Amino acid sequence: MCGIVGYTGSRAATPVLLDGLRRLEYRGYDSAGLAVIQPTGGVAMRKEVGRVAALARAVPPDLPGSCGIAHTRWATHGGVTQANAHPHADSEDRIVVIHNGILDNSEVIRQRLIADGVTFRSETDTEVLPHLIRTFYDGDPVAAVRAALAEIRGTYGLAVLFADHPGLLIAARNGSPLVIGVGEGESFLASDPHALVKYTRRVIYLEDGELATIRPDEIATTTLQGGGVNHTVEELEAVYGSEDKGEFPHFMLKEIHEQPESISRCLRGRVQPREGNARLGGFDLSPADLVRIDRVCMLGCGTSYHAGMVGAMAIERLARVPAVAEIASEFRTRNPIISPDTIHLAVSQSGETADTLGAVKEVQVKGGRVLGVVNVVGSTIARTCGAGVYIHSGPEVAVASTKAFTSQVTALFIFTLMLARSRSLSLHDAQRLARGLMNIPEFVRAYLASPGPIPEAVRLLTQARYALFMGRGVSFPVAKEGALKLKELAYIPCEAYPCGEMKHGPIAMMEPGRPVVVVVPDDEHRERTLSNMQEVRARGAVLIVVHTRGDDEAAAMATIPIAVPATDPVLSPLVTVLPLQLLAYQAALALGKDIDRPRNLAKSVTVE
Ligand code: F6R
């Protein structure tokens, strides 16, 4: 979603700002802009609709100035236009702002400023900020920003430049992440550490309710009200900066093929097959704590919600503890009942998803316990939860989540093993499950080396006006994940249903030639799923069937059978999802879509 980059130092700011924006492109955006304080006084500003490359073409290559801010916008208030792109400035172009988040009371402030004679140049909520700051400005930039923010309700990560104060960046955060990069005689600002790694690995994470004054040699943080705040400088993880596509044409394909390694990283040091047990140090739960858990609630959005669904089903089945997965946005808006003995797990790749963060805070405000299951180290959800585990996928750059899903599911299986072992799961069964988990990376590698008739299935899907995905038990969230991937990448209308729900509506959509993707591993639901397959086949539907290798009956019913390695049935989502990832990838490729950056989507959804 929107990206922020800032620089103050002695080098030319423009190349640093453009480079930072390019590194944030993966997050999704629709326009870009920058502002640089000019040595002659004043601020040079450029904005363009479209890619950062278009902005780079519009900016004079030798634009002077060594202090500036830059932004990629993902439209919320106002259409995708040059005028609505950030930065926004006051009427004299002396105070310039970029902003991530949403200002809830912007309309009231806007009307008041208009009544006072201010002319607005955009439809954005952000534009109220420079005008409002201007009304408080009497030579003290920090006091003016503080006074303006005291009137603002809503979420923000923002950066402000004052033409009168070259070399100074002011940043403030409330609900939208900001990280300050500490260099030698230069300082950086970004909404995401990816923008900084080329220049420095030493960072300060700004917290909600804080303001920073950033100069080349000095960084000071306070509360928004001016109270003292001390931050230690942290070292960024080595994984940042390691993103390139290597031999692959797209990040998504690379990330699909990284799954044997990313799942191994998630398992490493955590599963003990001989003891039939597991340990997630970050959860800090003793067996005595585990037996007191009376319910587990997963919170997440999109793919992370699907991973939570798999985890909840595994927990109920193996640990016999009631478990549910909740869509975080719905959970937080319905005033949920929080029990102190329920453990909540916030599942998020980015660790920045506003709805998941909102759900975390809702649990915390009601005295509940919530632990993170997060990929990005140091992200807001990880820090807000305080305790939790990292899934160690490594950076996921493609907007569509793939390796994070399998690592989230792996982490939840590890938790299932711990919880189940503290209850009814026998040593023997736990050993079998632990060994099964440890074998998964090899199975994933084997499948990816020989993925089966994906191109044939893609031909059916890309010609379809509608496709249905279905599965039972743990295969239902896999079907949902497959449909989500196909929708978001190839824009093919499709939906996922539990097999048993077919007869209650979706069967009306069955007609000759309609593609139906069925996920049917060799588990206790197989027989009934085969019956559902007969029902749709009888109506002329063509079946793309993901089945366990060696299941000849399932394969024989399929128009396109896709075999995956046999696993413990409960672990099957870690292999059955792979063909669905490839189907979506290949379908998007065949249709010429932008695979790594699908339209309208953002890698980290930092607005509600
Ligand atoms: C789909 C996808 C999204 C995310 C969702 C949650 O491919 O990537 O559905 O899963 O936006 O994001 P995180 O996991 O970062 O909280």
Side-chain angles (χ1 to χ4, degrees):
M1 204 149 257
C2 305
I4 282 179
V5 184
Y7 175 75
T8 179
S10 53
R11 36 178 143 186
T14 306
V16 179
L17 296 173
L18 289 171
D19 178 66
L21 290 187
R22 278 186 207 103
R23 288 166 186 273
L24 298 185
E25 283 194 294
Y26 77 99
R27 297 170 67 100
Y29 66 102
D30 46 53
S31 48
L34 60 72
V36 179
I37 299 187
Q38 295 302 286
T40 49
V43 181
M45 249 195 292
R46 290 287 185 286
K47 313 179 195 192
E48 288 296 323
V49 167
R51 296 290 186 220
V52 172
L55 176 67
R57 281 194 297 275
V59 177
D62 49 358
L63 184 71
S66 54
C67 176
I69 53 180
H71 190 261
T72 44
R73 173 175 188 251
W74 192 84
T76 55
H77 289 57
V80 180
T81 64
Q82 194 175 25
N84 287 340
H86 298 210
H88 293 286
D90 71 318
S91 308
E92 289 157 13
D93 289 345
R94 307 285 298 170
I95 300 172
V96 184
V97 177
I98 52 176
H99 161 230
N100 291 353
I102 293 180
L103 307 181
D104 296 334
N105 58 342
S106 65
E107 199 44 43
V108 179
I109 298 174
R110 187 185 182 98
Q111 292 311 326
R112 197 181 77 207
L113 290 166
I114 289 172
D116 290 345
V118 172
T119 305
F120 276 76
R121 292 178 272 186
S122 79
E123 305 158 300
T124 63
D125 54 341
T126 302
E127 198 191 338
V128 302
L129 284 168
H131 296 300
L132 187 62
I133 295 169
R134 181 74 192 82
T135 64
F136 291 108
Y137 182 56
D138 60 4
D140 182 343
V142 176
V145 172
R146 272 204 187 107
L149 292 181
E151 291 204 6
I152 291 291
R153 283 201 322 275
T155 54
Y156 49 82
L158 57 86
V160 192
L161 283 184
F162 285 76
D164 297 354
H165 296 267
L168 171 68
L169 299 177
I170 299 177
R173 170 182 169 153
N174 184 39
S176 205
L178 282 178
V179 57
I180 301 165
V182 184
E184 296 292 330
E186 56 184 355
S187 303
F188 305 81
L189 176 71
S191 51
D192 177 328
H194 284 97
L196 306 180
V197 278
K198 182 170 163 196
Y199 305 100
T200 180
R201 303 195 87 86
R202 300 177 64 229
V203 297
I204 296 170
Y205 289 100
L206 210 60
E207 298 291 346
D208 281 349
E210 291 181 1
L211 179 144
T213 51
I214 305 166
R215 295 185 169 85
D217 288 311
E218 190 196 351
I219 294 160
T221 52
T222 63
T223 64
L224 287 174
Q225 295 72 31
V229 172
N230 277 333
H231 276 287
T232 47
V233 176
E234 297 178 39
E235 196 74 22
L236 275 181
E237 270 197 298
V239 289
Y240 281 110
S242 63
E243 310 91 5
D244 70 69
K245 290 198 274 260
E247 72 206 65
F248 294 95
H250 297 99
F251 279 108
M252 183 183 177
L253 193 61
K254 173 178 177 249
E255 288 159 8
I256 289 173
H257 283 271
E258 280 173 355
Q259 290 177 103
E261 184 46 38
S262 55
I263 296 172
S264 294
R265 270 201 305 273
C266 185
L267 290 167
R268 199 163 294 150
R270 289 172 163 171
V271 178
Q272 300 115 23
R274 264 180 36 166
E275 290 81 22
N277 212 336
R279 220 181 87 77
L280 286 171
F283 278 0
D284 196 19
L285 293 169
S286 67
D289 297 326
L290 288 170
V291 289
R292 272 198 293 275
I293 295 172
D294 71 358
R295 187 168 167 272
V296 181
C297 175
M298 315 282 177
L299 303 168
C301 303
T303 291
S304 298
Y305 163 65
H306 299 156
M309 287 177 77
V310 174
M313 289 182 193
I315 286 171
E316 282 210 344
R317 176 171 160 161
L318 295 171
R320 306 303 298 153
V321 175
V324 290
E326 300 253 19
I327 294 175
S329 56
E330 286 295 307
F331 176 85
R332 61 181 300 211
T333 47
R334 61 149 215 269
N335 194 15
I337 298 166
I338 306 292
S339 146
D341 295 322
T342 296
I343 196 126
H344 299 83
L345 300 182
V347 186
S348 175
Q349 187 286 129
S350 62
E352 302 294 350
T353 301
D355 285 315
T356 309
L357 181 62
V360 167
K361 290 182 177 165
E362 186 65 22
V363 173
Q364 289 176 332
V365 92
K366 291 188 153 89
R369 179 135 198 230
V370 55
L371 304 171
V373 179
V374 172
N375 190 32
V376 177
V377 176
S379 56
T380 309
I381 292 174
R383 285 179 296 123
T384 305
C385 289
V389 293
Y390 288 114
I391 60 169
H392 300 311
S393 296
E396 194 180 62
V397 175
V399 164
S401 189
T402 53
K403 64 176 180 171
F405 174 80
T406 45
S407 290
Q408 288 166 338
V409 169
T410 301
L412 295 176
F413 282 154
I414 298 171
F415 178 58
T416 304
L417 180 57
M418 287 163 60
L419 196 60
R421 192 67 188 106
S422 75
R423 317 253 168 155
S424 53
L425 197 69
S426 69
L427 174 63
H428 176 260
D429 288 346
Q431 285 171 327
R432 202 168 37 81
L433 190 70
R435 276 197 302 272
L437 257 178
M438 297 305 283
N439 287 335
I440 291 290
E442 234 5 86
F443 291 154
V444 172
R445 189 170 285 117
Y447 171 75
L448 291 174
S450 175
I454 300 290
E456 289 79 345
V458 164
R459 267 196 289 281
L460 289 178
L461 289 169
T462 50
Q463 286 157 15
R465 284 183 297 117
Y466 165 87
L468 181 71
F469 285 67
M470 58 185 210
R472 271 180 195 272
V474 286
S475 299
F476 171 51
V478 175
K480 279 176 78 69
E481 177 59 9
L484 175 64
K485 289 282 101 88
L486 190 65
K487 236 180 291 211
E488 68 179 328
L489 291 168
Y491 320 144
I492 294 171
C494 58
E495 59 189 339
Y497 262 87
C499 292
E501 193 66 4
M502 266 281 305
K503 289 195 280 291
H504 303 287
I507 200 158
M509 298 294 287
M510 291 305 111
E511 60 184 28
R514 182 76 83 204
V516 176
V517 181
V518 189
V519 183
V520 56
D522 188 6
D523 61 12
E524 74 274 28
H525 308 301
R526 176 182 164 279
E527 291 292 319
R528 276 184 296 158
T529 302
L530 293 186
S531 306
N532 299 126
M533 286 161 56
Q534 295 286 16
E535 286 159 12
V536 293
R537 215 163 67 131
R539 281 148 186 94
V542 287
L543 295 178
I544 298 164
V545 178
V546 177
H547 64 88
T548 302
R549 190 174 303 286
D551 184 348
D552 297 336
E553 194 182 352
M557 286 171 65
T559 309
I560 314 280
I562 303 174
V564 295
T567 62
D568 185 297
V570 83
L571 305 180
S572 63
L574 290 172
V575 291
T576 53
V577 77
L578 304 171
L580 306 191
Q581 295 172 342
L582 290 173
L583 282 180
Y585 172 82
Q586 298 280 357
L589 192 66
L591 295 172
K593 306 300 183 203
D594 187 344
I595 292 178
D596 285 335
R597 287 183 299 223
R599 69 183 181 202
N600 302 337
L601 288 174
K603 184 64 186 160
S604 99
V605 185
T606 48
V607 294
E608 296 165 8

